[in-house]
Amino acid sequence: MTRIVGHVLILAAVLFFLGLIGVLVRRNIVFMLLSIEIMFNAAGLAFVAAGARWAKPDGQIMFIFIVSMAAAEVSVALALVLQMHHRLKILDTDAAKSLRG
Amino acid sequence: MNILFYMASIVAVIATLMVILEFNPVHALLYLIVSLLSLAVIFFLLGAPFAAALEVIIYAGAIMVLFVFVVMMLNLGPRSADEERSWHPARVWFGPFLLSAALLAELLFVLRGGGGAGFGEVSPEEVGIALFGPYLLATELASMLLLSGLIGAYHLGRGYGEARRHEPGPVEESTP
């Protein structure tokens, strides 16, 4: 049982790393948001695995908080993507450097 | 029981890799949904059925639908029909279909009574009691966060709608 928890943590690390690569490599802002979602999921997976190791509900509660934070973040970020596409006609994050604060 | 977990994790890693490598946003969303479903299977095997249900309902249901809405809104235009036609060939949905068929096989096996990875199941009742007991303050903070996200999305989206409504104005004035 402990061995499986260790493997779940390895899987969470791999998924988090894949999401990090996606954020660093991709320039389309929609794909960057998807990669951020992958990283949230990896963190939630680690929490749920830790909660299952001691059979306590705390890990699932942290997962619920992660989901609510992801919902708030996605709603605001997608509204920003719509604004960016409307003003710049492009989804390239390098094009947004013309905002200049 | 271990083989179920390893199958689901292989599906999750392949689907996540395809999310990063894919160029079409809709295909990437398909693969991400498969990845979320495989994570839900892993949550179920870890004895967390409530987290698995939340993963399917909120993540794969609500948040991914938001993404689909925005992708569809951004693709509006004369070339959207051609793109719609090009989204349908079999090789596009064959990968996600294969991966989610593996998940379906696992689900059927678990439902026939072969499941469980030896973890004690934490029921939704315990989660709810802890959520509104010791974690009450954090729950209130999460509700405040959701409210602020709602207000922020409303503010940004309202500006978008007004700008779109005013956009055809000068064009109509210049045509006559």
Side-chain angles (χ1 to χ4, degrees):
Chain A
M1 196 170 102
T2 315
R3 199 167 56 88
I4 285 200
V5 169
H7 291 172
V8 173
L9 289 181
I10 291 173
L11 173 68
V14 169
L15 289 183
F16 190 89
F17 191 68
L18 286 175
L20 185 62
I21 291 175
V23 171
L24 292 178
V25 170
R26 301 305 291 255
R27 286 170 61 194
N28 191 325
I29 192 163
V30 174
F31 285 95
M32 291 173 78
L33 285 176
L34 287 180
S35 304
I36 289 173
E37 293 305 309
I38 293 170
M39 290 163 75
F40 280 152
N41 264 292
L45 178 62
F47 270 118
V48 171
R53 168 67 181 79
W54 283 279
K56 290 271 197 265
D58 300 327
Q60 294 188 51
I61 286 171
M62 292 312 290
F63 178 74
I64 292 173
F65 289 154
I66 286 178
V67 166
S68 61
M69 183 193 63
E73 179 260 346
V74 160
S75 60
V76 174
L78 287 179
L80 280 173
V81 168
L82 285 180
Q83 286 280 352
M84 183 178 165
H85 184 260
H86 176 65
R87 287 169 197 270
L88 303 175
K89 306 290 178 206
I90 200 166
L91 290 178
D92 189 352
T93 48
D94 288 352
K97 69 175 187 289
S98 61
L99 289 176
R100 294 216 172 88
Chain B
M1 60 180 197
N2 282 1
I3 192 73
L4 291 177
F5 163 70
Y6 292 120
M7 251 174 75
S9 47
I10 287 172
V11 168
V13 170
I14 292 175
T16 308
L17 206 58
M18 291 306 292
V19 172
I20 297 175
L21 297 178
E22 191 64 59
F23 284 107
N24 194 321
V26 177
H27 303 171
L29 279 171
L30 265 180
Y31 276 112
L32 185 57
I33 288 173
V34 172
S35 166
L36 295 177
L37 291 180
S38 63
L39 277 189
V41 169
I42 292 174
F43 287 164
F44 186 75
L45 291 177
L46 284 173
F50 189 54
L54 279 185
E55 178 91 4
V56 173
I57 295 173
I58 296 184
Y59 246 117
I63 296 181
M64 289 304 118
V65 165
L66 258 184
F67 268 102
V68 170
F69 275 161
V70 169
V71 168
M72 293 299 169
M73 278 178 78
L74 297 185
N75 274 337
L76 286 182
R79 61 198 175 88
S80 68
D82 291 336
E83 284 180 354
E84 184 72 30
R85 214 168 290 123
S86 70
W87 283 341
H88 281 300
R91 60 181 169 76
V92 165
W93 52 261
F94 189 69
F97 170 75
L98 213 60
L99 293 176
S100 46
L103 290 180
L104 177 65
E106 281 192 40
L107 181 64
L108 292 179
F109 182 71
V110 168
L111 283 179
R112 289 191 53 185
F119 290 97
E121 182 180 314
V122 180
S123 67
E125 187 183 354
E126 294 174 55
V127 177
I129 288 174
L131 191 62
F132 290 100
Y135 286 98
L136 185 60
L137 181 63
T139 309
E140 294 296 330
L141 286 177
S143 71
M144 293 292 290
L145 176 70
L146 282 174
L147 180 64
S148 63
L150 177 69
I151 293 173
Y154 175 71
H155 177 69
L156 291 169
R158 192 190 54 169
Y160 178 71
E162 280 176 358
R164 284 191 71 135
R165 219 173 298 133
H166 290 319
E167 197 173 317
V171 181
E172 286 173 3
E173 285 169 5
S174 62
T175 36

